[in-house]
Amino acid sequence: MPDRNQLYIQLFNIHGLIRGKNPELGRDADTGGQTVYVLELAKALARQPGIRKVDLFTRFIRDKTVSPDYSQLIETVEDKLRIVRIQCGGSKYLRKEMLWGSLDEYVDKTLKFIKDENDYPDIVHGHYADAGYVAKELSTFLGVPFVFTGHSLGRIKQSDLENKGMSPEEMDKKFNISHRIKTEEEIIANAELIVTSTSQEARQQYGKYDAGEKANLSVIPPGIDTNRFFPFYSNYDNFVDEPEKRDTLRQAQFFMQKELERFLTHPEKPFILTLARPDHRKNITGLVEAYGKDRELQAIANLAVFAGIRKDITAMDTNEQEVLIDLLLLMDKYDLYGKLAIPKRHDVEYEVPELYRIAGRSQGLFANPAFKENFGVALIEASASGLPIVANDDGGPRDIVKNCNNGVLVDITDHEQFSAVMRKILVDPELWKQYSQNGIHGAREHYSWDAHCAAYLEQLSRLDKRVAHISDTDAALGISANPFAKLDNIFISDIDDTLIGDDDALQELAGLIRNRRSGMGFGVATGRPVSSAKQVLAEHNVPLPDVIISSVGSEIYYGKDQQIDKGWRAHINERWDRKKIVSLLRPLKFLDYQDGEDAQRDYKISYFMDENPDHLAMVHKVLTENRIRYTLIFSRGMFLDILPYRASKGKAIRYLSYKWNIPLNHILVAGDSDNDEDMLRGEMLGIVVGNHHPDLDKLRGLKNIYFAKNTFAAGILEGFNHYGFPKRKVRETEEEYANINE
C-alpha cells in the first residue's frame, strides 16, 4: 500500500518534446525555458524526502520528424520519477496551439491510466494553459488540489500581437487566443495555488484577469542544477562524481571551443554570449544591431549567438525563418564576418554549461535582449557559471539583478545604451570581477532547486486535501452492486430535440434498445429533473433507462426504483454553497429566477436569461470575484444553469465509466445543444443529430464525434450504423495498454 504520509505529485506539460536526458531546447517555440523548468522541478521534487513519487505527464508522439524517445510510453528517469506519455490528437507532433480540441481525450486517457495503476495523486500541477486545463479537469474529478504555473499568459501574448498589427481573427486562427484566455480565466479561478517566478508576473500579468485579484499567488523562483552550472574556474572533480561524465564535459568544452573558432578571426577575445530560440520576441536581432553599430565593442569582443537548433532554415516556421534570415542579413550589413558566431546546434545537457564557462574564461558576459522575460533561467545559469549579465529592465531580470547584483538592466531598444553598458563591463576588470563573484554566490543563495522545493512543499502543506477519491467512497455511498456488470456497452442520449422529435424514428430506436438490452445499457442525460424525464419517456413509449443523469448532470439515478447515487452527491457537494450563489446573483436584474421544484434542485440553480455576451460575462465576473467554484451552462439562448464545479453531463458520464469500470469508447452519447458539449468531447463515441444548435459546429473534425445528416432519433440511428454500435466488450490488460497509442 502507498505511504499516504508522503506525496504523489503529478506534473503536466502537454506539448510532448520533453525527455529525461538531453532535452531539445530551442527546437521550436514549444521547447524553450519551460521545458527545462518542468524537468528540473520534477527531478528536484523526486529527491525530496517527503515525496513518494513524481510522474511528469506529457504527450505521446510517434513521428519520423522527431526523436523516437518521445514514443516511449513510460520513461523511468530516476528512482522516484517517471515521464508518462498519453496520446491525444493522433501521434504526429503538433504545436501546442493545435491541441486544444484534443485535451478532453487526454483527460479521459489519463483517468484510465490512473485507474489502471490504482494509484491516485495527492496533487496535480499543470504547466502552461493547455496542461492547466487538463490538471483542472483531473482535479475536479479526482478530488485533489490543483496547482498551476502559467509560464506565459494569453492576455500578454494578445497585447503583443495587437501591437504588431495582428487582427483578432488572425490571432484566433493561429493561436486560438480567445479560447486560451477564456480557459486561463477558468484555470486561475479554480487553482488552489498559482506558482509564479517573479513578483512582477504575479502582480501585473495575473492582474489582467478577472480571477487574478483573488487568486492564491505564491512567488517561488525556479532553481538551477549547481552540479552542471558551476563556476568557470572550478575543477570538474569538485562537482562531477562520475569519471565518464567528467570526460564528456571536457569533450564538450573542446568541441564547443572548436565550433566557435570556426567562425572567428580572433577567438581569444572575450565572448558576448546569448542563447535563445529564433523568435521575434527574443529580440536577437536587437543585440546584433547594437553590436554591429558599435565598432569599439567589435574591437573588444566577439559575439556568439546560439539561436536554437536548425538544419535547414527553409524548412522552419515562418517566424523562425524571418529571425534567422534577418540575422544573416545583419551579419552582412555590418560586415561581422570573423566577429559573429552563429552555430547551428548545441547540446543542452553538456555543451550549454560549457558555453557559459568558455565565455567566463574569456572574461565575457551574457546578454539577454528579449523584450519580455517572465523569468530567464539562462540568466541564472550564466550567473552561476560566473558570467556578468546584461538584460532588459523588465520582468524576471529585475528580480535577478536585485537579488544578485551581478549585472546591469538596460532599455534594450536603445542600441547605443545597450552596447555602452556591455563595453563598460568588458573593459573594467574590477567591475567584471565583482559582477562575476556576486552572480556565483547569489545564484546559489537565491536560486537553488532545494530552496524552491522547500517553499513549494510548504505551500502545498497549507492546501485543503479535500475528500477521499471516488474509488474510496464506492462501498460506503451509493450502489453496492454494479448495475452494468453484464453490459458490454451503454447508449446515453439527451431527451429533448435529440431522442424526441420524430415519433416514427423514435419507435424504431426504442425497438433497437429493447432488442439489445441483454448486452447494451440505456441511459439519458437531460436538463429535466428525474420525475419529468421518466414521465416524458413513458409518454413516448421509450424503455425505462438503466441510468438517468438528470438536472444537467447534477443527479444520477439507477434502475426502475430510481436509486440515487449518493457517492455522486458527496463528490459534487465539495465547496458548493447554493445560498451564497443565489444571494450574489440577486442584484443582476437581467436574471429571471425559475420557479418550481423541478427547476431548482439541491445542486442546480436555474434562471432565464436573454442571450447577451455582456450579461454572461457579468455572471462570470460576479462569481469569479467572490471565489465561487461553479460550472455554468447557458443553452438554447435562454436557459442559464449553475451547478457545482464538479458537475455536468459529461463529468457524470465519466464518473459512471470510472466507478463501474466501463471503457469510455464503449459509451455512445447523443446530443443536440451546447449543454451536451462536454459529454460529446473526449473518448466517448459522440453523435450530433442533424437538428443540432449551431454552437456545436465547432466540434466538427474532432475525434469520435459524428455529425448525422438525419434529425432527432433518425440521426441517432444513423450514428449507430456509423459506429457499428454496440461494440464487442473489451477490457484492456496491461499488455494491451502498450498498443493504446496506435
Side-chain angles (χ1 to χ4, degrees):
M1 288 292 291
D3 182 355
R4 290 301 179 191
N5 293 319
Q6 292 190 313
L7 291 178
Y8 170 23
I9 298 176
Q10 291 183 346
L11 305 174
F12 291 84
N13 194 49
I14 303 296
H15 68 74
L17 295 187
I18 189 166
R19 58 192 180 194
K21 292 184 178 179
N22 196 21
E24 292 186 284
L25 291 190
R27 187 185 187 280
D28 60 13
D30 291 345
T31 52
Q34 172 193 346
T35 302
V36 174
Y37 179 114
V38 176
L39 186 59
E40 293 294 336
L41 171 63
K43 289 178 178 179
L45 284 171
R47 294 166 188 160
Q48 301 302 309
I51 299 297
R52 176 169 64 84
K53 184 166 74 170
V54 177
D55 280 337
L56 170 52
F57 283 78
T58 190
R59 182 170 172 259
F60 172 93
I61 300 170
R62 180 170 288 161
D63 190 329
K64 292 179 180 179
T65 66
V66 302
S67 169
D69 292 345
Y70 306 124
S71 62
Q72 185 179 352
L73 286 168
I74 297 178
E75 176 187 350
T76 300
V77 179
E78 49 190 59
D79 185 32
K80 294 190 290 184
L81 172 61
R82 303 182 302 176
I83 295 176
V84 179
R85 297 184 173 92
I86 303 290
Q87 184 257 351
C88 74
S91 60
K92 297 296 184 183
Y93 175 58
L94 300 171
R95 59 186 176 89
K96 58 183 178 293
E97 288 83 7
M98 303 296 293
L99 292 173
W100 283 107
S102 302
L103 294 182
D104 292 287
E105 177 189 352
Y106 194 98
V107 171
D108 288 346
K109 287 182 174 176
T110 303
L111 282 170
K112 183 185 185 310
F113 175 87
I114 292 169
K115 184 71 180 287
D116 287 347
E117 289 228 324
N118 194 29
D119 194 1
Y120 303 94
D122 300 291
I123 302 289
V124 290
H125 185 161
H127 291 265
Y128 190 79
D130 51 3
Y133 172 81
V134 168
K136 175 179 72 72
E137 292 297 293
L138 291 169
S139 162
T140 298
F141 196 85
L142 296 171
V144 297
F146 160 44
V147 181
F148 177 60
T149 301
H151 296 282
S152 68
L153 293 173
R155 287 200 185 278
I156 308 303
K157 187 180 185 74
Q158 182 185 51
S159 178
D160 290 342
L161 295 174
E162 284 175 352
N163 292 337
K164 292 176 183 176
M166 186 177 285
S167 69
E169 292 75 22
E170 290 175 300
M171 290 184 219
D172 281 337
K173 183 177 181 180
K174 188 170 183 180
F175 299 111
N176 266 313
I177 201 74
S178 297
H179 179 74
R180 174 179 170 181
I181 290 170
K182 178 178 178 292
T183 302
E184 285 172 340
E185 281 283 11
E186 295 171 359
I187 289 168
I188 295 167
N190 285 280
E192 273 83 357
L193 172 66
I194 297 175
V195 177
T196 73
S197 296
T198 68
S199 53
Q200 184 190 47
E201 180 189 1
R203 183 178 62 255
Q204 295 184 9
Q205 297 192 31
Y206 284 93
K208 294 183 181 295
Y209 289 78
D210 292 339
E213 184 178 347
K214 298 290 181 69
N216 180 20
L217 298 162
S218 182
V219 179
I220 312 176
I224 57 165
D225 183 352
T226 53
N227 288 321
R228 289 175 60 222
F229 302 101
F230 52 82
F232 64 88
Y233 52 75
S234 298
N235 190 317
Y236 289 103
D237 296 346
N238 295 333
F239 291 90
V240 185
D241 292 333
E242 306 104 89
E244 185 178 336
K245 188 173 287 188
R246 289 198 293 268
D247 289 342
T248 303
L249 284 169
R250 290 189 179 102
Q251 289 175 13
Q253 179 196 112
F254 175 80
F255 287 116
M256 278 290 96
Q257 188 79 50
K258 288 297 182 184
E259 179 68 7
L260 290 166
E261 289 174 359
R262 188 165 67 90
F263 290 86
L264 304 170
T265 305
H266 297 286
E268 72 280 359
K269 290 180 181 180
F271 284 101
I272 299 169
L273 174 66
T274 193
L275 293 95
R277 67 178 185 269
D279 186 300
H280 288 296
R281 292 173 296 175
K282 297 301 181 181
N283 188 36
I284 304 171
T285 54
L287 172 61
V288 177
E289 286 263 16
Y291 180 78
K293 291 176 179 178
D294 192 323
R295 295 283 185 178
E296 187 178 350
L297 183 58
Q298 293 173 39
I300 294 168
N302 295 310
L303 177 59
V305 175
F306 286 79
I309 300 169
R310 66 186 187 278
K311 291 182 179 179
D312 179 0
I313 293 177
T314 61
M316 301 177 78
D317 288 343
T318 302
N319 179 31
E320 296 166 338
Q321 279 189 37
E322 291 173 352
V323 171
L324 291 166
I325 290 170
D326 286 346
L327 284 177
L328 297 176
L329 292 174
L330 287 170
M331 174 187 265
D332 194 70
K333 176 181 178 179
Y334 293 111
D335 193 19
L336 299 178
Y337 299 98
K339 303 172 185 177
L340 171 59
I342 316 179
K344 297 180 71 170
R345 58 165 299 282
H346 55 278
D347 168 85
V348 173
E349 187 77 17
Y350 298 107
E351 291 176 349
V352 167
E354 290 308 319
L355 282 172
Y356 293 132
R357 288 190 278 271
I358 289 169
R361 280 188 285 272
S362 78
Q363 291 204 302
L365 59 81
F366 185 83
N368 183 334
F371 291 118
K372 289 188 181 295
E373 191 67 78
N374 279 349
F375 183 67
V377 171
L379 288 167
I380 298 299
E381 295 171 349
S383 301
S385 305
L387 276 178
I389 64 173
V390 179
N392 192 21
D393 188 8
D394 183 77
R398 284 181 177 170
D399 283 17
I400 293 168
V401 170
K402 179 182 177 182
N403 288 332
C404 299
N405 187 25
N406 64 326
V408 181
L409 302 176
V410 299
D411 176 1
I412 47 85
T413 64
D414 184 337
H415 295 155
E416 187 174 330
Q417 181 192 139
F418 199 177
S419 63
V421 165
M422 290 189 285
R423 263 192 286 114
K424 180 180 179 182
I425 295 172
L426 292 169
V427 301
D428 188 336
E430 288 302 315
L431 181 62
W432 188 94
K433 180 180 178 182
Q434 177 188 337
Y435 284 154
S436 175
Q437 292 179 339
N438 288 350
I440 291 166
H441 298 307
R444 279 154 177 73
E445 179 182 352
H446 296 284
Y447 300 104
S448 76
W449 276 116
D450 282 343
H452 178 99
C453 290
Y456 177 81
L457 293 173
E458 169 63 23
Q459 290 293 326
L460 294 189
S461 70
R462 300 174 184 176
L463 300 182
D464 177 10
K465 296 303 186 292
R466 302 203 219 158
V467 301
H469 297 292
I470 288 172
S471 58
D472 297 332
T473 64
D474 285 352
L477 297 169
I479 315 303
S480 57
N482 186 345
F484 307 107
K486 297 181 180 180
L487 301 177
D488 296 350
N489 304 267
I490 302 178
F491 163 56
I492 299 176
S493 178
D494 175 51
I495 295 178
D496 297 287
D497 295 325
T498 303
L499 270 179
I500 296 173
D502 179 339
D503 286 339
D504 292 339
L506 178 58
Q507 293 315 307
E508 183 180 348
L509 177 60
L512 182 152
I513 292 169
R514 291 188 183 95
N515 291 336
R516 300 183 182 180
R517 210 61 187 269
S518 61
M520 184 186 79
F522 169 52
V524 293
T526 177
R528 291 173 178 263
V530 63
S531 57
S532 173
K534 184 179 177 182
Q535 179 181 342
V536 73
L537 293 174
E539 289 172 356
H540 287 82
N541 196 29
V542 176
L544 184 68
D546 300 290
V547 60
I548 296 176
I549 299 169
S550 62
S551 300
V552 207
S554 61
E555 299 171 6
I556 299 176
Y557 298 88
Y558 300 100
K560 62 181 180 180
D561 297 327
Q562 283 96 58
Q563 189 175 1
I564 192 165
D565 192 318
K566 296 178 182 177
W568 178 243
R569 287 176 66 89
H571 180 65
I572 67 174
N573 185 59
E574 174 70 15
R575 303 191 186 186
W576 173 247
D577 190 336
R578 193 183 199 287
K579 290 182 179 179
K580 183 176 181 180
I581 294 172
V582 172
S583 176
L584 287 170
L585 296 181
R586 190 170 289 121
L588 302 184
K589 302 303 181 185
F590 54 82
L591 292 179
D592 183 7
Y593 190 77
Q594 295 183 29
D595 293 327
E597 182 182 347
D598 284 353
Q600 306 299 336
R601 310 291 288 179
D602 289 346
Y603 296 99
K604 180 172 79 79
I605 307 167
S606 296
Y607 298 89
F608 295 113
M609 187 184 83
D610 292 336
E611 190 162 10
N612 184 320
D614 291 338
H615 290 170
L616 196 60
M618 180 59 70
V619 174
H620 280 298
K621 183 177 177 63
V622 169
L623 297 178
T624 298
E625 286 181 344
N626 287 276
R627 293 290 289 171
I628 299 297
R629 302 289 179 85
Y630 64 96
T631 295
L632 185 150
I633 300 170
F634 183 65
S635 59
R636 302 180 186 274
M638 62 184 296
F639 299 116
L640 180 72
D641 296 307
I642 297 170
L643 315 175
Y645 75 106
R646 291 180 175 177
S648 69
K649 289 183 179 181
K651 289 185 176 72
I653 295 174
R654 286 173 173 84
Y655 168 87
L656 295 176
S657 166
Y658 192 87
K659 181 171 182 174
W660 303 117
N661 199 28
I662 307 161
L664 280 168
N665 61 1
H666 282 244
I667 300 176
L668 179 68
V669 297
D672 72 287
S673 74
D674 28 6
N675 74 9
D676 302 318
E677 180 179 340
D678 82 320
M679 75 177 188
L680 292 164
R681 289 179 175 272
E683 281 293 277
M684 291 172 286
L685 307 178
I687 302 170
V688 179
V689 293
N691 55 292
H692 65 273
H693 191 279
D695 277 355
L696 290 184
D697 282 330
K698 62 178 175 285
L699 302 183
R700 288 185 184 275
L702 294 184
K703 179 183 175 183
N704 292 343
I705 299 181
Y706 176 70
F707 277 77
K709 295 181 176 63
N710 291 306
T711 58
F712 308 108
I716 296 174
L717 290 166
E718 182 184 331
F720 266 76
N721 290 330
H722 170 78
Y723 287 115
F725 197 84
K727 292 176 174 285
R728 179 177 59 84
K729 188 171 185 177
V730 175
R731 302 292 184 183
E732 289 172 351
T733 65
E734 288 186 12
E735 184 176 329
E736 291 170 325
Y737 173 73
N739 298 317
I740 194 171
N741 293 307
E742 295 303 316

